[in-house]
Every structure is written in structure tokens, then in C-alpha cells.
Amino acid sequence: MNVLVGRQPILDHKRNIYGYELLFRSGKDNFYSCDDPNEASLTVIGTTIFHIGLKNLVGKKKAFFNFTRDLLRDEFSEMLPKNKAVIEILEDIINDDEVIAICKKLSEKGYSLALDDVLDYSRCEHVIDYIDYVKVDWILVGAKNRKDIADKLKDTKIKLVAEKIETNEDFEMAKKEGYDLFQGYFFKKPQIFSTTVLPSGSLVGLELLQETNKANFNIEDARNIIKREPSLAFNLLKFINSAALALVESISSLDQALILLGTAKIRRWVIALVVTNACSKNPALIRQSVERARMCELMGDLFGISNKSESLFLLGLLSLAEGLMNQPLETILGNLNIDKEIEETLLNKETELTPVINIVKAVENGDWDAIENLLNARNISKDDFSEVVQQVMIWSSQTKIS
């Protein structure tokens, strides 16, 4: 399935790109069509983080994301990197005590904030100490108010953004009145970005959503659900490797990824993922991927590396990623901060994990000569090997895989 996000540049006085506003788009006709602003904003965040990649969309520039009151309250800002993201507070949000407190907290955490579609200075008054950008609707504001806003903010740290600039005359007037940044159709209509994604099975995604919202939610239960759905694992690894988390260590297991996230971030990840994922899937390849992961996990004991069972599960799961994601393996791995040994094994470099994935592939291909050679090389009995294969078959028949 294709997912879309619009990108409109924000320029400085010299028409150099300062940043981009990322926008919800429901089709390549370049328009907004969504009844639920929460869903629209979450879709942009999810599509950017999980699928296209923030770096691919904005490079080293700033990224402006629209936030509703609900998303502010539920701290979905935590999914975004502080050094690149600007939290844009939508025009229908009243700056009451709750919003003021949220702005203060976000500012103290190091996030940049913007007020969207400002029409008069009064909207800035109670949050002026916490915001970094004021975006003025050039079409609706009126000449008196737009100059009043500029005059009252000229000695502050706040950058003034003139949006909906549609003519060169608008641009020159905005510069003259003290505006710092500019956005609008005069410069460029939003550019549509599209990517093909591997969707999660809707039932598994909803099950995970239900599980993570339980009062007694624990990470082990989440891991067991994720293990049944490769796309959830792929997206978890992509999210945890995003700049928002400033991760330095590589990932060798789903447990490690989930523990590093913690329960609050897991809940936000799941909500955003369920919103952005569709219901279509490749059930045969998904089942093969999960069965391969389980067999790799169990084979670790036979090959004397039972201490790497979680790495082996992840290896098996990712070994069919190219077919599932319809992308080159190198591209997929470039977005995942997985353990070096797993990555090298997937790229056909010889590692301690290589014999395990080789025998699993031989089982799938019915290559009994290769199986016998691998077993003899490690002095593994055929009975022990057959027992593991049988365990996987029983497990697969009893496990609900999307």
C-alpha cells in the first residue's frame, strides 16, 4: 500500500529553505481530506517516522508538525527529535491553563513550538515565553493586525512566519514589515511523497493496541504479539532507531527494543502505528517469516548458541524482509539499528549465526543433503533436529498468525 505526506518549504529572506511543514494528504491530487484532525496529525507523524523517514523528507532542515490538543496532552511529541521537530499548535486550540502548562513543559524539555494561523497578538500573550515561531495567516489577518503582531514581537526571540504568501507583492510586504520566514503557494505548492509500506494485520495491530492499554500491561505480552507480525517488528526497529530517541546502542532483540522504549513510548508508538497502517497483507510470506524466526530461535540450542535465541528470532524475521517490504535489503537495513552480527548474517557474511539460518533455509527447500552436512559438521543428532522441526510445526499450527 502507498502512504503519502505533503511537504511545503518555509523560506528565509533570500528564498533559501529554512524548513518544511509536513502535511496530511489523502491522495496525489494534493489536498487535505480527513474528518478527524487527530488521525491526520498522527498519520503524518507515523508515516514520517515509520515509513518515509524524517531524514529523507527534510534532510538537516527543521520539520514542522501539526499538533492537536489531544496529541499535545498525550505527549506524542516524544516520538519526534527535539533538534529537528517544531511542534505546531493548531489554530483552534485555546491557550488555557492546560495548554500553557504543556507549552512550558515542552519548552523546558528543549522542543521548539509554533503557533499556527495567528490572526492577532492576543493569541501569543500567555505563551510568549515558551514559543519560538508565530505563523501569521497572511490572507485572513488584515493589514493592521499583521503589523501589530510584528511590532510587538520584534524584540523577542520569536521568528515570525508569514504563511499563505501567494504573490511577490505579499512577499515583499512581509519582508518590509519585519517577518523572518515565508511560506505559501507563491513559492511552491506542497510536494507529495509516497512510499510502499508493509501493513500490519489489522487484528494483530488492534490486539496489541488493546494489550498496551491495559492497566497491568507488561512488555512480555507486547513482545509475544509483535513476534506474530513481522511488520510490527520492522516498524518498532525503525521507530527506536529514529532521531527522537538518540539511540547509541545497536539492537539485538525485540525485548531490548521494548525495554529501551518503556511503557509510555510503547503505547504512543502502537497508537500511531495502528492509525497509519492499512489492512492488506501477504499472509503466506508473513507466516513463512514468523515460522522461520521461530525455527531459528529453537535451533540456537542445537548449534550451541542458545544465549543468542532472541538475536536468532530477529534474524529469521528479517531474513524475508526484502520480499515483505518490496525494497532492497541494504535499504531496509539502513533504516534499522540492528546488531552488527545480525546485519552481517543477513548480508551473507559468515558469522556464528550463519549455520542456523542456512539449515532453516535448507528445511524450507527440502535440501536434505545440505541439512545432513550441516548436522554432521556440528555433530548434531538427526533425532534432536527432527524434534525441533516438529516443535515449530506444532507451534505454527497453534499460533494465530495474521
Side-chain angles (χ1 to χ4, degrees), residues 347-359:
L347 294 173
N348 297 319
K349 295 179 182 178
E350 192 71 25
T351 72
E352 193 174 25
L353 309 181
T354 300
V356 176
I357 191 65
N358 284 346
I359 201 167

Side-chain angles (χ1 to χ4, degrees), residues 50 78-79 217 219 226 232 235-242 244-245 247 251 254-270:
F50 302 140
E78 296 285 340
M79 298 183 69
F217 158 65
I219 286 175
I226 292 168
L232 291 174
N235 281 305
L236 172 62
L237 292 170
K238 288 181 77 172
F239 172 51
I240 201 166
N241 190 42
S242 69
L245 301 175
L247 192 66
I251 302 300
L254 295 177
D255 271 349
Q256 183 187 4
L258 290 166
I259 290 168
L260 283 169
L261 274 182
T263 54
K265 285 189 175 70
I266 290 171
R267 286 190 176 103
R268 285 191 285 270
W269 163 65
V270 172

